[in-house]
Amino acid sequence: MSTIELNGATHPLASGSTLAGLVAEVTGRELLPSGKPADGGRLGVAVARNSGIVPRSLWSATALEVNDDIEIVTAVQGG
Amino acid sequence: MTHTLTHTDPLLIDGVPLGSRLIMGTGGAPSLDGLGAALIASGTELTTVAMRRYSAPGPGSTGGTNLFDLLIENNIRVLPNTAGCFTAREAVMTAELGREALETDWVKLEVIADEHTLLPDGLELVDATEALVDRGFKVFAYTNDDPVLALRLEQLGAAAVMPLGAPIGTGLGILNPHNIELIVSRASVPVILDAGIGTASDAAVAMELGCDAVLLASAVTRAQDPVAMAQAFRHAVIGGRLAAQAGRIPKRSHALASSAMEGRPDL
């Protein structure tokens, strides 16, 4: 089975998957092609793919590839 | 007499007015609900967050509310930090993630030397400040209480310098008030006392030393009653600011009576 690395864990990779699809799956929110949530709110997450940041506007055009190393981060409590 | 002193004069950073000079961190709070109450009680308008891997909202956060939503709902501006970074490279990457996720180019730059002291690494801090300013960030540089380094950071383009009072989480207060005063006297960007604050009087002292604002987290979030402590800090920062502007009396070696000696009755 094809996999990627998602936040340090192995994650299955379906063919034709995009970064936008992955972010929608992880956050449970529908995304517009712009990468913004369809509910009009703010998503508050950023994505790094193989140590490079992918702006949200490029998520839907970014196809996931086998062994991609994806980090999805958000704001948590901190000083 | 006309009142010329106003504790409500806004703190201007990067052209943005902040009505409260108390900047809160969010670390150390046991629950999101409790944190929200403390933030509201503090009156803060700017609050730090850390950037970490996304995990689905847990049972403690009902309705999928997360920290970012909480801040948006309460009109509190978010200040992503680079906590946990040991190198300039990591800090720049973390700042970029924060900018992308939270749609702000403000960043609290924290580059620590080791986990034991959590003290800033001056060399990495300088490199990271230069790189981030170059990339268009407004850098709030968390730094040692070193007047030379603080000035260097300002010269590199930091939007604010944030000297520590004492190491993070120690609650030891302001260990070198003279250095803080020296930093304030030479800075032309806002000076924000960050880290080491234990209780309200520490924040008042920071403001009396001339700091433009105070940033703290643990002192509130780990207090027995965080809401009460947040209120205490809200008042302490206002009190310290007013005192700094009001002009204190000079210190003297000997007593100076405030009641006249003349006209005493013969008893």
Side-chain angles (χ1 to χ4, degrees):
Chain A
M1 187 178 68
S2 301
T3 60
I4 57 167
E5 196 80 349
L6 172 62
N7 284 355
T10 304
H11 189 84
L13 172 66
S15 65
S17 297
T18 64
L19 208 43
L22 182 66
V23 174
E25 177 193 328
V26 168
T27 60
R29 287 168 82 175
E30 194 187 331
L31 299 183
L32 300 171
S34 63
K36 292 186 173 172
D39 58 26
R42 288 167 77 180
L43 194 60
V45 309
V47 177
R49 175 173 179 249
N50 303 327
S51 301
I53 290 176
V54 184
R56 69 189 65 208
S57 57
L58 298 181
W59 290 348
S60 54
T62 303
L64 291 174
E65 289 172 24
V66 176
N67 295 331
D68 266 357
D69 187 3
I70 307 293
E71 294 281 354
I72 301 181
V73 303
T74 191
V76 302
Q77 290 179 30
Chain B
M1 175 187 160
T2 313
H3 265 276
T4 50
L5 300 178
T6 53
H7 68 267
T8 53
D9 60 321
L11 169 63
L12 268 185
I13 301 182
D14 178 33
V16 175
L18 297 170
S20 168
R21 289 171 181 268
L22 177 57
I23 302 171
M24 286 282 297
T26 52
S31 81
L32 207 55
D33 285 349
L35 176 64
L39 290 175
I40 292 164
S42 76
T44 188
E45 294 181 11
L46 181 65
T47 290
T48 65
V49 296
M51 301 308 297
R52 294 291 181 270
R53 283 172 169 166
Y54 183 93
S55 60
S61 49
T62 51
T65 304
N66 62 33
L67 180 58
F68 188 43
D69 293 333
L70 174 76
L71 298 180
I72 292 172
E73 281 163 18
N74 291 291
N75 276 323
I76 299 172
R77 202 179 169 101
V78 65
L79 179 61
N81 71 22
T82 63
C85 292
F86 293 89
T87 64
R89 190 196 65 79
E90 286 175 294
V92 170
M93 187 72 181
T94 304
E96 293 278 12
L97 288 168
R99 175 157 70 178
E100 171 68 18
L102 308 179
E103 298 160 54
T104 174
D105 54 12
W106 288 16
V107 63
K108 173 182 167 179
L109 177 60
E110 217 179 307
V111 198
I112 54 170
D114 62 82
E115 282 182 84
H116 182 61
T117 65
L118 300 179
L119 288 171
D121 182 322
L123 298 181
E124 296 291 331
L125 182 59
V126 163
D127 283 353
T129 300
E130 204 163 17
L132 289 172
V133 168
D134 200 43
R135 290 165 184 242
F137 283 91
K138 304 300 181 295
V139 178
F140 293 55
Y142 169 61
T143 178
N144 294 292
D145 58 358
D146 174 351
V148 178
L149 182 55
L151 199 55
R152 283 295 181 102
L153 294 168
E154 177 184 331
Q155 289 163 349
L156 288 171
V161 292
M162 308 207 294
L164 54 80
I168 293 170
T170 59
L172 290 172
I174 300 173
L175 296 180
N176 195 334
H178 174 69
N179 271 14
I180 299 298
E181 218 164 19
L182 199 51
I183 290 170
V184 167
S185 71
R186 307 199 304 172
S188 38
V189 295
V191 176
I192 301 167
L193 197 288
D194 184 1
I197 297 284
T199 188
S201 54
D202 297 330
V205 167
M207 298 306 289
E208 288 174 10
L209 291 171
C211 291
D212 296 282
V214 173
L215 196 164
L216 58 93
S218 313
V220 164
T221 58
R222 297 193 168 119
Q224 288 187 19
D225 185 340
V227 168
M229 191 58 96
Q231 286 177 312
F233 276 112
R234 180 183 200 151
H235 292 293
V237 166
I238 292 171
R241 171 93 179 148
L242 277 173
Q245 293 174 322
R248 58 152 300 151
I249 60 167
K251 291 182 182 176
R252 305 169 52 94
S253 304
H254 297 287
L256 177 66
S258 58
S259 305
M261 291 301 275
E262 298 77 32
R264 285 173 294 162
D266 196 3
L267 299 172

